[in-house]
Amino acid sequence: MKRVVSLCLVLGLVLLCFFSCGNSTFDKAVKHLEDCGLNSMEYDQEQINNIMSSISTAKYFSMDGKITRINHCVKSQANGSLKWAYLYEFELESDATNMLRYAEVIGEYCVSSGHIVVYGNAPEIEGIEL
């Protein structure tokens, strides 16, 4: 009987971990933009490495840690213009703060919390709860 109870507890814990992993703040922000009709593309590690390499030579922005995730969301408008948003997740909160300063200059809309920065020209960004 003790083995059955222990097995049920372990199985319950594994299921809890499995389902809670997919609900990160970053994922919720991406889902919000997708629900608003933007198409999203998550960058792979090679693309992230290329961006980190270009940042290392930039004069306007520097990083002490790594970028852990990037997602780019876009939507074509009827008038031919594009709505866009970039979502960045950083290893260090200080890097997110530095990116927010840069994003506020080039993006019409910016939201940030902790290690995550979202910026772009899509008004839907303002509806993201981080």
Side-chain angles (χ1 to χ4, degrees), residues 75-83 123-124:
K75 181 179 182 180
S76 296
Q77 301 293 86
N79 65 3
S81 67
L82 227 99
K83 281 188 191 179
E124 293 83 357

Side-chain angles (χ1 to χ4, degrees), residues 18-72:
F18 177 75
F19 287 110
S20 67
C21 290
N23 290 331
S24 74
T25 303
F26 187 91
D27 291 331
K28 288 178 185 177
V30 171
K31 183 170 179 356
H32 170 78
L33 293 173
E34 288 175 339
D35 289 348
C36 292
L38 280 81
N39 299 309
S40 71
M41 179 190 78
E42 185 157 355
Y43 285 23
D44 63 26
Q45 193 58 52
E46 183 179 342
Q47 291 169 309
I48 292 172
N49 290 342
N50 288 339
I51 289 171
M52 287 178 36
S53 177
S54 66
I55 287 173
S56 70
T57 62
K59 295 179 183 175
Y60 55 85
F61 181 65
S62 64
M63 288 183 5
D64 296 320
K66 296 181 179 179
I67 300 170
T68 54
R69 293 175 76 182
I70 299 174
N71 196 299
H72 183 201

Side-chain angles (χ1 to χ4, degrees), residues 13-14 17 48-49 51 66 73 100 114:
L13 182 61
V14 168
C17 291
I48 292 172
N49 290 342
I51 289 171
K66 296 181 179 179
C73 298
L100 180 61

